[in-house]
Amino acid sequence: MLRVSILAAGLLAVAAVVVVFGTDLLHKEVWTRDTPLSNPIAVTQVSEGVLTLADGRTLRPAGVRRSDGVTPDEYDLALRTLVAQGVLVDRTLDDTRAMLTAEPKFYNWCGTRGMEGNPFAHWAGGYYPCPVSEFLIIARYADPDPDQPGLTPCERWRLEGTQHFWPPLEDPQRQITRPELTAFRYEGYERLLADYDSWLEIAWRSPPPGD
């Protein structure tokens, strides 16, 4: 009888919390963003694989080409999702191509809870910095094009190393986007992309010297 009373009291306490604080306490969505980019440049438009930056430049991600199985619209959607938080221009190869860094948003597709000390708070996903060209290859939207003019040996190493960085994604062979969230599906490797070179050394080989 005592156990029943304790259980009933517990249920009443939970009900009271819900009444006082509302259902948001039980359904809170938490997005994490540990290492935001420093002073990224906004991207004002994406069209036919070309990014228009807020400073007026128009650039394509260097060292890649759209995969044959990806439509132009799918490619542009992936790019918009990828650069929604802006970009850093790491190096321009010419007036049309550049190596870029972005900080895309990734949504959590499973029920991970217990965020911020709240056992009911759901981890909605997070934002993770990553090299743009390399991510497009890993996410199966682009193929490496290491023979493009102007690439350094180390940049070619990074592009070619994408095949060693992470196992192929399951079908469909592209990282799923949620346009309403402007986010990609979280697959598990995204946290490693912020230190891509170090992980590539572990997974594959050291970069070429002198770059």
Side-chain angles (χ1 to χ4, degrees), residues 156-158 160-161 164 199-206:
R156 292 191 182 93
W157 168 78
R158 293 187 184 107
E160 293 170 351
H164 304 280
W199 282 102
L200 190 56
E201 275 196 80
I202 295 170
W204 185 31
R205 61 178 173 83
S206 298

Side-chain angles (χ1 to χ4, degrees), residues 148-164:
Q148 281 187 10
L151 291 168
T152 68
C154 194
E155 288 166 346
R156 292 191 182 93
W157 168 78
R158 293 187 184 107
L159 295 169
E160 293 170 351
T162 52
Q163 62 185 308
H164 304 280

Side-chain angles (χ1 to χ4, degrees), residues 76-85 104-105 177 179 182-184:
D76 281 353
L77 174 60
L79 275 174
R80 288 189 195 98
T81 305
L82 184 53
V83 303
Q85 281 63 245
K105 183 180 181 181
T177 59
T182 318
F184 295 103

Side-chain angles (χ1 to χ4, degrees), residues 46 49 55 63 65 99 102 109 118 144 180 189 192:
V46 176
D55 61 13
R65 56 180 176 79
M99 304 304 293
W109 52 272
N118 180 351
E180 74 279 14
Y189 66 83
L192 308 180

Side-chain angles (χ1 to χ4, degrees), residues 23-32 108 110-125:
T23 57
D24 286 348
L25 181 64
L26 302 182
H27 300 284
K28 184 178 181 181
E29 296 288 301
V30 178
W31 292 90
T32 55
N108 177 28
C110 68
T112 309
R113 293 188 181 274
M115 299 296 296
E116 299 179 343
N118 180 351
F120 302 106
H122 175 240
W123 183 57

